Amino acid sequence: MAKVKPRVKVPKTASVNEVVTIKTLISHPMESGQRKDSKTGEAIPRKIINKFAASFNGEPVFMANMEPSVSANPYIEFQMRVPETGVVRFEWTDDDGSVYDLEKTITAA
Amino acid sequence: MTVTRREALGLAVGGVAALTTLRFAAPAFAAGNAIEDAIMEFTGGSTPGDGDITIVAPEIAENGNTVPIEVSAPGAASIMLLATGNPSPGVATFHFSALSGAQEAKTRIRLAKTQDIIAVAKMPDGSAITTKRSVKVTIGGCGG
Amino acid sequence: MKRTVSILAAGILGGALSTASLADDGRELVIDGETIATTTAAADDHPLSEIISGWRFRSAETQALQMDDFENPAFVAIEYAEELWEEPAGTSNKSCANCHGSFDGLAGLRAELPRWNEEMGKPATLEMLINASIETHQGAEPWKWESPEMLAMTALIGLASRGMPVALKTDGPMADWIKKGEELYYTRVGQLDLACANCHENNYGNMIRADHLSQGQVNGFPVYRLKWGGLGSIHRRFKGCMDQVRATPYTRGSDEFIALEAYVASRGMGLSVETPSVRN
């Protein structure tokens, strides 16, 4: 997978204060820094997604700091309580400073 | 004072032996100190005890590249995962908030070999709890 | 523990065919509510007594990854392919969608490949058909066999056939190629002097070192392999196996691998397409 692409699975609706499961994945090689280039013998430099953060209507919900031991195409699943209708914002931060983001709306009834 | 050749040899051998001993205290894979240090830094100094913290992981990982794992610790502020047999033990740290419906997280991790996975949870009152789980990692079979 | 016992039993049985060594507790492959058959009866003249998908040979955790279209890591590539599908390309400035409509319209294609292609004078694999369309109809640069674009697109088009039985034509001009593929399948190669059949016909269900041997079916390709941390093509897998027996492998898109793919696909006749599958 060439591009870094995030995906999330978020329910479109929920009852007020229902706890929902949120699944997230981002395509990323998570280059650990342990691998060596087969031709030159040089270590391939580390380049991973080191942080994942989810917020709801601006309030932090869940955050994960990641190390190279997280598998390629990092998958993260967590639970969130839905207090009201709002926007869930997801952000993935790469070692090189790039931030990938995605937003989804949940309607609470 | 002159040192006899025998004494010099003895000193040299002793010195090498001492150096070698020091070296063996830090093996290629995560040394016990690295793990303890990581835990202490995370807990802010409190020694973790037993408590309601669970790791769900396969008994035998079909492939060390992608091992599905789940941790949960009801009421925790954060949970840290360590892979004791990996080149460096840190795997991930999960931080929860008032909006977390439950203090649990699932992810997929790399395991270099059969080893213990340790989870440490920091509780809101500053205390810490821990648990560990052994995962067997098979290496190689066939099929490029 | 049940799994350990069955592995030991499989080891003791050695070359004996044994479905008992699947040790998967009869789990079913259910994806988002739809059950996909993972075994099928073999025809009388088939060398195998029962045709079993590679899914059955994997651990519960690996099986679970294929049972949810979000958790299946291949689906990031599927999304990428859906974008590519809509992108105008080449001198034609047309997208796949312009001619083909929705990719669902290609349902059934994956299930009947490889199939004879008169223009090419040989059987065409999905990669070859995609490139023919790209070059001829879009006037664009063809994709490399193992490129992210080709893997994503073969996954998307394969997905359109998911659940459909493998049903390629084996008669007419295909017959010679399938015969050639059969010869390759049963010929020992490499320093380790092994043929595909030695493992995948004589020893499926047994362990080769730490791998649980499957029948080597191709009904789920391109496959997301945990080992690769990504998708891979049929020919990549063939090449890997040849590397492992220390043989000089054929190349992706070679006549040998086309013939082998046709033969191996015919061994899976009736098995459901599982693309994109998840394996170890």
Side-chain angles (χ1 to χ4, degrees):
Chain A
M1 274 148 259
K3 302 189 337 181
V4 178
K5 237 177 117 26
R7 298 181 82 211
V8 296
K9 187 168 179 183
V10 177
K12 291 198 173 60
T13 61
S15 326
V16 170
N17 283 329
E18 184 184 344
V19 173
V20 298
T21 300
I22 295 185
K23 302 183 180 188
T24 75
L25 190 144
I26 186 165
S27 62
H28 192 285
M30 297 292 277
E31 194 59 65
S32 65
Q34 296 287 330
R35 294 200 310 153
K36 290 199 166 56
D37 184 308
S38 50
K39 296 194 183 87
T40 66
E42 302 270 304
I44 302 171
R46 165 188 151 148
K47 188 169 186 299
I48 68 167
I49 296 286
N50 59 52
K51 185 167 141 183
F52 164 78
S55 62
F56 183 77
N57 284 348
E59 293 296 314
V61 177
F62 174 86
M63 201 259 281
N65 295 110
M66 291 179 272
E67 306 274 354
S69 288
V70 174
S71 301
N73 306 320
Y75 173 82
I76 299 193
E77 182 182 317
F78 61 97
Q79 306 290 309
M80 183 180 93
R81 189 170 52 80
V82 185
E84 57 193 353
T85 294
V87 174
V88 193
R89 185 179 166 76
F90 305 90
E91 281 184 7
W92 291 261
T93 309
D94 191 307
D95 277 345
D96 70 6
S98 318
V99 178
Y100 304 91
D101 62 358
L102 212 51
E103 284 186 354
K104 292 282 174 190
T105 306
I106 305 185
T107 306
Chain B
M1 152 206 144
T2 47
V3 176
T4 66
R5 265 222 298 259
R6 183 170 296 181
E7 285 165 341
L9 202 57
L11 278 171
V13 169
V16 167
L19 280 173
T20 329
T21 318
L22 280 174
R23 214 121 45 87
F24 281 147
F29 284 100
N33 317 345
I35 296 166
E36 278 158 32
D37 287 347
I39 296 177
M40 284 299 130
E41 196 185 316
F42 174 66
T43 65
S46 16
T47 306
D50 291 328
D52 191 358
I53 175 170
T54 322
I55 297 173
V56 177
E59 195 171 317
I60 305 175
E62 190 145 45
N63 189 289
N65 254 348
T66 313
V67 184
I69 192 163
E70 201 181 319
V71 274
S72 84
S78 52
I79 304 177
M80 177 176 71
L81 262 184
L82 296 170
T84 60
N86 276 2
S88 75
V91 179
T93 306
F94 305 111
H95 303 267
F96 306 102
S97 72
L99 283 174
S100 298
Q103 293 72 40
E104 61 185 57
K106 271 195 203 175
T107 186
R108 297 168 189 161
I109 69 176
R110 292 167 166 150
L111 294 178
K113 57 182 189 164
T114 294
Q115 59 185 282
D116 282 339
I117 300 183
I118 295 177
V120 183
K122 201 157 61 167
M123 309 308 282
D125 65 1
S127 65
I129 54 176
T130 183
T131 187
K132 73 175 179 193
R133 217 180 129 96
S134 170
V135 179
K136 292 198 206 347
V137 177
T138 57
I139 296 187
C142 204
Chain C
M1 187 216 152
K2 188 169 177 208
R3 189 191 164 109
T4 325
V5 168
S6 64
I7 289 168
L8 283 173
I12 290 164
L13 284 167
L17 296 174
S18 170
T19 52
S21 49
L22 284 178
D24 66 359
D25 299 321
R27 274 184 288 271
E28 296 249 316
L29 173 55
V30 183
I31 303 180
D32 292 341
E34 191 195 325
T35 304
I36 295 183
T38 50
T39 59
T40 191
D44 287 331
D45 59 350
H46 198 291
L48 299 169
S49 52
E50 194 191 4
I51 305 177
I52 308 171
S53 161
W55 184 81
R56 304 297 306 261
F57 296 88
R58 306 275 57 91
S59 72
E61 294 80 19
T62 307
Q63 289 179 328
L65 289 178
Q66 195 179 323
M67 297 208 275
D68 180 306
D69 280 351
F70 186 85
E71 298 207 27
N72 183 333
F75 275 75
V76 188
I78 295 280
E79 267 192 19
Y80 180 41
E82 283 173 325
E83 279 168 31
L84 289 171
W85 187 263
E86 304 288 338
E87 243 173 60
T91 54
S92 70
N93 208 36
K94 286 200 154 97
S95 69
C96 316
N98 284 138
C99 295
H100 289 287
S102 159
F103 70 89
D104 284 323
L106 292 181
L109 178 59
R110 168 80 261 167
E112 63 179 39
L113 294 179
R115 73 176 180 203
W116 184 254
N117 187 292
E118 199 57 50
E119 261 176 69
M120 298 180 191
K122 55 171 75 169
T125 68
L126 186 50
E127 292 87 350
M128 292 158 69
L129 289 178
I130 290 172
N131 270 341
S133 241
I134 288 177
E135 284 186 284
T136 317
H137 302 137
Q138 285 184 311
E141 284 297 303
W143 292 335
K144 282 203 157 111
W145 201 277
E146 210 75 38
S147 60
E149 290 72 29
M150 185 60 89
L151 289 168
M153 194 54 76
T154 51
L156 182 69
I157 294 175
L159 175 62
S161 290
R162 189 167 66 179
M164 298 176 68
V166 170
L168 67 159
K169 279 175 93 67
T170 56
D171 55 4
M174 287 298 292
D176 277 343
W177 284 77
I178 290 182
K179 193 99 194 74
K180 175 74 190 162
E182 185 184 26
E183 259 173 55
L184 289 166
Y185 196 84
Y186 285 94
T187 306
R188 289 175 180 269
V189 292
Q191 277 189 321
L192 297 190
D193 202 36
L194 288 170
C196 316
N198 296 137
C199 290
H200 294 296
E201 182 172 306
N202 303 131
N203 280 291
Y204 71 86
N206 293 336
M207 302 297 288
I208 184 163
R209 295 181 72 206
D211 255 346
H212 198 192
L213 276 172
S214 70
Q215 290 185 342
Q217 301 288 353
V218 290
N219 60 313
F221 278 81
V223 58
Y224 188 95
R225 274 199 87 192
L226 301 183
K227 178 177 174 171
W228 295 333
L231 284 174
S233 68
I234 296 174
H235 292 197
R236 174 178 181 179
R237 198 68 175 80
F238 286 168
K239 178 182 182 292
C241 271
M242 291 189 78
D243 282 333
Q244 296 273 311
V245 303
R246 319 277 172 81
T248 306
Y250 301 113
T251 56
R252 295 168 173 83
S254 61
D255 283 355
E256 288 87 357
F257 276 174
I258 292 172
L260 190 57
E261 181 180 330
Y263 176 67
V264 176
S266 75
R267 282 175 75 91
M269 199 76 78
L271 209 51
S272 304
V273 172
E274 281 179 41
T275 307
S277 61
V278 181
R279 302 284 185 261
N280 61 325

